[in-house]
Amino acid sequence: MTPTDTDSAIWSVIGTLILPLILGLVWLFVAALVRFDGAGPSRVATLVGLGAVLVAGYIGMDMAAIGETAFDDTGRVPGEVLFGAAGSAKLAHAAGLHGIQLLAVLAILCEAGRLSPRRARWVLAVAALGYAAVFWAVTATAYAGRAPYDPTAPYAILLVAGALTTGAAAAVVLAQASPARRVSPPAPVAEKPSPVGRTGT
């Protein structure tokens, strides 16, 4: 695809803004690591999610470098950026960017549900560990130049184990966040005695 002047201008703006964006994300990560005023599940979701976003930013820089090299060689923007022969750079990048959304939803449900604070923190930590395993497997497969459907056996096992772990943790969170709770029937209200009229003489 041949880029237009608008494409070039947008790419230049992105290149200018990416450094302040990365510095801002690093500042948020350090701030959450040093001092976090929220509950335990939210802190786990924030740290793991922001860490994944930073890794996704690194992947994005590699994607940009490959795309720019291809453009310099051919004068055209490649339709798809691959790591090696078939590694899906876009999938690895997306997996890092969107994990924070998944973990944030689970953290909100943890805090709004019936889990105790300590158990909620552990459940969220298990979910984050599973997500990290999936992200690692997807990213390592991409950098190995292999298609997402063709990982090595260890990465396939890691991917499946991570997905099952996160799914199990999410199931616990959803079960405890269900609004279907046993509600005690309201106590009967004593009827107000009717006034007794005066008898006439």
Side-chain angles (χ1 to χ4, degrees):
M1 181 178 67
T2 303
T4 64
D5 291 341
T6 302
D7 295 331
S8 299
I10 293 173
W11 183 249
S12 178
V13 170
I14 292 174
T16 302
L17 295 178
I18 195 66
L19 181 58
L21 176 61
I22 292 176
L23 292 176
L25 288 172
V26 171
W27 181 84
L28 287 174
F29 181 85
V30 173
L33 187 63
V34 174
R35 179 182 177 185
F36 191 87
D37 295 331
S42 294
R43 185 176 191 182
V44 173
T46 300
L47 291 174
V48 176
L50 285 176
V53 170
L54 289 172
V55 175
Y58 179 85
I59 297 171
M61 289 191 295
D62 283 349
M63 292 172 62
I66 293 173
E68 290 176 353
T69 299
F71 177 75
D72 292 340
D73 293 341
T74 64
R76 298 175 64 85
V77 177
E80 184 177 4
V81 176
L82 297 175
F83 292 150
S88 178
K90 186 180 294 185
L91 179 60
H93 186 60
L97 288 178
H98 297 298
I100 192 170
Q101 299 165 354
L102 168 66
L103 297 176
V105 170
L106 292 179
I108 291 171
L109 292 176
C110 271
E111 295 179 22
R114 293 169 291 176
L115 290 170
S116 66
R118 182 177 180 181
R119 190 178 181 192
R121 184 172 61 250
W122 277 106
V123 170
L124 210 288
V126 170
L129 181 64
Y131 162 72
V134 171
F135 182 33
W136 177 269
V138 169
T139 303
T141 298
Y143 273 97
R146 303 175 71 98
Y149 53 81
D150 186 33
T152 61
Y155 289 143
I157 293 172
L158 186 63
L159 179 65
V160 172
L164 291 176
T165 300
T166 301
V172 171
V173 172
L174 291 174
Q176 295 298 316
S178 173
R181 304 182 183 182
R182 185 179 298 275
V183 180
S184 301
V189 179
E191 294 185 2
K192 185 177 181 180
S194 58
V196 178
R198 298 180 179 177
T199 58
T201 56

